[in-house]
Every structure is written in C-alpha cells, then in structure tokens.
C-alpha cells in the first residue's frame, strides 16, 4: 500500500506577506533532514505539505522521527493513498488501519472533499465508510464525541488519502528565519534547554564553550559536543567554539576578591562571547540562567553581568523552575548527557562564599586590576572551532 506523510504547518500561517519565505525555509529544512532517508516529491498546498516517497524501501518510522523534530510544524500524519473510488476507499481504510481498528472500541469517520467534483458530499462519504467499518469489525461502535480512533478521508484532486491519527509536531517557527544568536553552553542541564528554546523560535545558533584545561578534562568538551549534537538535531548544523579560559580564571583567582570571582568570570564570558558573536553575524547572546538558581543568578548578580556587553542577552529559562527545565531536557534527550559527572570551568574555581548581592562599582573596581584587553585578545586568538551536525 502506498503511504505518504501530510504535514500541517504551524504559526507560519499567521505570517501574512512573509508567509512564503517561512514556508520555503520550512520546506528546505524538511528536505535537508529527510534526504538521507530516501527520495521524496514535496508538494505544498492549502497549508499542508505532502511528502510522497519516490522509492518503496523508505522507513517511515525514521522519517516521522525526523519530522517530529522540525520547527514550524503543528502536526503531521501518515496516510494511505488510493484511487478516488468508494469501494477502494473503504477497503483501504479497513486494511490500512486494521490493527488499530481491531483494538479500539469506538470510532468516527471525518471526510474532507477538496475535489468538489467528487460525486458524494463529505457527510455521505463518512456515512458510507462508517457503515462498511461497522460491518467488518464487530468490536466497534460509533462515538462522534470521544472516539478511540478517527478515520479521516480526504478527497483530493488526483487521489484519496486515508489517515488514522495526527501526531504532534515540534511547534515553533522554521530555523533560519529568525537570524542568528550565540549560546553560551556549559555541560549542565540548563544551557542545552535554553539553546533548544531559542532554536524553536527560528534562530540559527553558534555555541560557545569555555574550557579550562587541565582543570577541566577533554571528556568535558566531548560532553558539550554530544549536547550540541542533540540540539542540532532540532536545528541546523551548529558551529561549536571552544574558548581557552584557564589563564583568565587563574588571573581572576589571583588578583580579585574571592567572593566576586564568579561574577567577574561571567563578565569575561560575556565580553569574549560578544566578540565571537559579532564575528559570526549574531544579534544576541543566550544563556541558561534562571533567576535565583545560584549566587550568580540573583537579580543583583545579573545586573552586574549584563553591563559587560552591549548585546541583548536572552535568558529563556529565567522564570522556570529546575523541574520544568529537567522535563524539557528529558524530552530533547540532553538530560542523560548533562548529568555525566565531568567538571565545568565554573565549578573548578567556585568560591566558598560568593556574593549574592554584588555591587557593580565594586565589581568594576576589582576587575580594573586585571589586563582585561590582553586576556580577552589572547583567549580569542586561541579559540578552536568545529561544525556539529545533529
Ligand atoms: P547549566 O546547567 O547550563 O550549566 P547552571 O545552572 O549550571 O547552568 P551556571 O554554571 O551558573 O549555571 O551557568 C549559567 C550559564 O552560564 C549557563 O547556563 C551557560 O549559559 C553559561 N555558562 C556556564 N558555564 C559555561 C561554560 N563553561 N561555557 C559557556 N557557557 C557557560
Ligand atoms: Mg553550569
């Protein structure tokens, strides 16, 4: 039986005059993600994108898994395709949905007729198919309000489509339509979730990770790569930039009050990230900070971090509880990687008593003892970069 995939586009339908750009980008993203799995013809009509396989050996489970991770899709479904003839339609519905019909108690048929020349009207199509299914499955009764399974019959220009369930899409808007941002990624739970949330709003990402060898191990970098791989399975390829941070951390430790260590380190991260972001045509910085989670994420601490950069800093997790963040990290499959025990540069030098209410003037004063520009330039000259594909 020939199968296809029907994709319902999401928020893009609200885009008015720009809609075509969004749709084109979505189709490009779909093509890129599914092309390793086989050849498809792709049609775009009436807010539905149809994927028609050109060969028989395509694994539809794999295709659906890929589709479920593409932003800009509200819902999608697999459908059987058959001739527009009532006896064929009925038999196809019985055969295609056999397993689910056999194990359900109630059903309902819904029909749509975009080919207005088709001899029967929608209610009549539903009634005929329903009657046939009742005849063939004595385990089933009709329930129009809350059925176990809805059989949808669509009469299109060339063929009829029959489908049994609609699967939720990833939502959001197509990646690549919303500019580019640089995400500061640690090996923790939060920053991969923050990356996911910003990619969901259509933004391409560059990832920046600060590493402090030999205090941090190569395995910590490997972990970040794995995290980025998971995020990029929802996004486009992501460039991962590793910044050497050892010297800066040692200098802060040596020259600044211990209680201000973290906040000054954060300000260095912001400054260096800003330079990298600008070199990569990014418009904003993203962090995984959540208000009050740790000493460096109090409102006073964030008010000391932000002035280190002139770029907008987005913190998509700012109002979320840890358990809400964990829920998303499990969904996007980053949680199990994030909890691997390799140390992050933040934890290596963490002071015992960080200031929870730092004052900006005191932070700036403490920092002024360091050779800011020299340290930043040196770190930037020694960054390493690689492209990660999901
Ligand atoms: P996460 O779970 O993402 O590590 P966290 O709760 O552990 O976050 P912090 O360690 O205080 O919080 O870091 C706050 C934010 O600063 C992170 O979400 C991330 O955006 C950024 N950050 C922290 N460490 C690094 C690092 N080594 N490289 C790049 N960014 C970092
Ligand atoms: Mg962390």
């Amino acid at each position: 039986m020939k199968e296809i995939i029907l994709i319902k586009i999401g928020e893009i339908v609200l885009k008015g005059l720009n809609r075509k750009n969004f749709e084109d980008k979505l189709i490009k993203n779909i093509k890129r993600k599914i092309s390793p799995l086989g050849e498809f013809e792709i049609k775009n009509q009436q807010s539905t994108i149809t994927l028609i396989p050109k060969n028989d050996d395509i694994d539809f489970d794999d295709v659906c898994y890929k589709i479920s991770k593409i932003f800009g899709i509200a819902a999608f479904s697999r459908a059987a395709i058959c001739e527009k003839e009532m006896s064929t339609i009925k038999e196809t519905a019985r055969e295609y949905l056999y397993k689910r019909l056999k194990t359900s108690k109630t059903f309902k048929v819904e029909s749509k007729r975009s080919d207005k020349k088709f001899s029967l009207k929608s209610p009549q199509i539903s009634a005929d198919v329903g009657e046939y299914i009742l005849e063939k499955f004595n385990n089933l009764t009709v329930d129009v309000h809350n059925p176990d399974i809805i059989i949808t019959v669509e009469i299109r220009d060339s063929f009829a489509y029959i489908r049994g369930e609609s699967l939720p899409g990833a939502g959001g808007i197509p990646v690549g339509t919303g500019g580019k941002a640089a995400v500061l990624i640690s090996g923790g739970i939060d920053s991969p979730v923050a990356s996911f949330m910003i990619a969901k709003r259509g933004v391409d990402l560059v990832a920046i990770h600060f590493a402090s060898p030999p205090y941090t191990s190569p395995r910590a970098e490997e972990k970040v790569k794995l995290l980025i791989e998971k995020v990029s399975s929802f996004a486009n390829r992501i460039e991962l930039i590793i910044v050497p941070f050892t010297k800066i951390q040692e200098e802060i430790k040596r020259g600044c009050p211990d209680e201000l260590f973290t906040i000054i380190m954060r300000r260095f991260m912001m400054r260096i990230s800003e330079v990298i972001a600008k070199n990569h045509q990014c418009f904003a910085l993203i962090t995984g900070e959540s208000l009050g989670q740790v000493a460096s994420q109090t409102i006073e601490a964030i008010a000391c971090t932000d002035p280190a950069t002139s770029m907008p800093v987005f913190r998509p997790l700012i109002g979320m509880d840890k358990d809400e963040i964990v829920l998303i990290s499990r969904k996007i499959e980053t949680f199990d990687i994030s909890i691997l025990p390799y140390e992050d540069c933040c934890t290596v030098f963490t002071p015992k008593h960080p200031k929870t209410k730092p004052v900006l003037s005191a932070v700036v004063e403490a920092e002024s003892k360091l050779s800011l520009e020299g340290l930043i330039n040196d770190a930037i000259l020694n960054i390493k970069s690689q492209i990660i594909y999901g």
Side-chain angles (χ1 to χ4, degrees):
M1 189 172 304
K2 192 167 166 77
E3 245 189 326
I4 55 164
I5 292 178
L6 298 166
I7 294 173
K8 245 178 93 55
I9 62 179
E11 248 184 86
I12 310 175
V13 292
L14 307 173
K15 293 288 175 209
L17 291 178
N18 281 333
R19 176 171 169 166
K20 173 119 182 32
N21 295 348
F22 283 85
E23 285 188 3
D24 288 350
K25 193 72 195 177
L26 176 58
I27 289 172
K28 220 166 146 189
N29 291 349
I30 293 172
K31 267 189 195 154
R32 200 186 43 250
K33 292 286 183 189
I34 63 171
S35 65
L37 302 175
E39 266 197 77
F40 293 84
E41 183 189 343
I42 302 183
K43 283 188 184 164
N44 178 19
Q45 281 165 337
Q46 299 154 356
S47 303
T48 304
I49 296 168
T50 311
L51 307 185
I52 305 156
K54 286 190 181 164
N55 22 15
D56 292 336
D57 56 347
I58 292 173
D59 185 330
F60 265 57
D61 289 338
D62 282 355
V63 179
C64 287
Y65 181 67
K66 292 269 183 189
I67 297 290
S68 73
K69 294 175 139 201
I70 298 173
F71 294 129
I73 294 176
F76 64 101
S77 50
R78 294 164 75 142
I81 177 168
C82 69
E83 295 299 326
K84 293 194 298 187
E85 200 269 316
M86 278 313 285
S87 61
T88 313
I89 290 171
K90 289 182 206 170
E91 184 47 29
T92 304
R94 185 188 76 85
E95 202 184 312
Y96 184 56
L97 302 172
Y98 186 84
K99 249 199 210 145
R100 291 197 50 219
L101 289 170
K102 203 70 200 159
T103 53
S104 297
K105 289 202 169 78
T106 53
F107 81 108
K108 160 188 180 179
V109 183
E110 282 180 357
S111 303
K112 285 182 202 156
R113 196 180 57 132
S114 53
D115 169 16
K116 299 293 176 207
K117 288 194 229 93
F118 191 71
S119 58
L120 300 181
K121 291 198 170 143
S122 301
Q124 192 59 51
I125 300 170
S126 298
D128 278 17
V129 175
E131 194 180 326
Y132 182 79
I133 295 294
L134 275 175
E135 226 173 74
K136 298 287 176 191
F137 295 86
N138 50 25
N139 54 307
L140 286 175
T141 55
V142 174
D143 180 349
V144 289
H145 301 295
N146 191 21
D148 297 336
I149 171 169
I150 300 176
I151 303 173
T152 307
V153 178
E154 267 188 66
I155 310 291
R156 295 258 176 159
D157 287 344
S158 319
F159 295 101
Y161 299 162
I162 289 143
R163 56 195 162 89
E165 69 180 332
S166 178
L167 303 162
I173 41 185
V175 172
T177 56
K180 207 168 170 187
V183 58
L184 281 71
I185 184 129
S186 65
I189 293 170
D190 305 327
S191 41
V193 172
S195 313
F196 165 82
M197 288 174 73
I198 294 296
K200 186 171 181 182
R201 300 313 299 164
V203 177
D204 260 321
L205 297 174
V206 171
I208 303 174
H209 176 68
F210 293 85
S212 291
Y215 305 107
T216 59
S217 74
R219 287 195 302 184
E221 280 181 46
E222 282 305 313
K223 180 180 169 184
V224 170
K225 265 195 237 169
L226 291 176
L227 289 170
I228 293 292
E229 226 171 81
K230 289 289 180 194
V231 174
S232 77
S233 72
F234 290 89
N236 289 338
R237 60 188 209 133
I238 295 178
E239 183 171 353
L240 169 62
I241 292 161
I242 310 261
V243 183
F245 210 40
T246 317
K247 177 119 180 276
I248 291 175
Q249 289 197 298
E250 286 174 344
E251 283 291 296
I252 304 173
K253 194 79 190 169
R254 199 183 49 77
C256 303
D258 208 37
E259 57 179 17
L260 294 180
F261 175 87
T262 313
I263 209 74
I264 293 175
M265 178 191 75
R266 286 246 168 281
R267 286 167 57 86
F268 268 98
M269 285 186 173
M270 290 297 171
R271 290 190 183 101
I272 293 170
S273 299
E274 174 173 326
V275 176
I276 296 171
K278 285 188 173 153
N279 286 339
H280 285 76
Q281 293 78 47
C282 295
F283 290 96
L285 302 177
I286 317 294
T287 78
E289 288 162 306
S290 156
L291 205 53
Q293 197 188 73
V294 287
S296 62
Q297 296 174 30
T298 62
I299 214 161
E300 292 85 352
I302 289 175
C304 288
T305 310
D306 258 14
T309 172
S310 61
M311 269 192 157
V313 181
F314 296 153
R315 299 175 169 90
L317 313 185
I318 198 71
M320 288 172 78
D321 292 349
K322 196 75 183 185
D323 49 359
E324 293 169 313
I325 300 168
V326 164
L327 219 61
I328 301 178
S329 81
R330 286 189 191 279
K331 197 180 83 183
I332 65 172
E333 300 172 7
T334 53
F335 181 77
D336 289 338
I337 305 169
S338 292
I339 58 173
L340 294 172
Y342 314 128
E343 67 297 327
D344 181 55
C345 72
C346 289
T347 46
V348 177
F349 292 89
T350 309
K352 280 214 177 65
H353 303 289
K355 224 178 172 52
T356 52
K357 295 186 178 176
V359 175
L360 184 59
S361 55
V363 174
V364 173
E365 160 73 19
E367 229 176 40
S368 66
K369 312 232 158 42
L370 304 175
S371 143
L372 291 181
E373 212 172 308
L375 287 167
I376 291 170
N377 289 342
D378 199 38
I380 298 215
L381 276 178
N382 289 295
I383 58 179
K384 287 184 298 180
S385 148
Q386 61 199 294
I387 306 288
I388 311 271
Y389 296 90

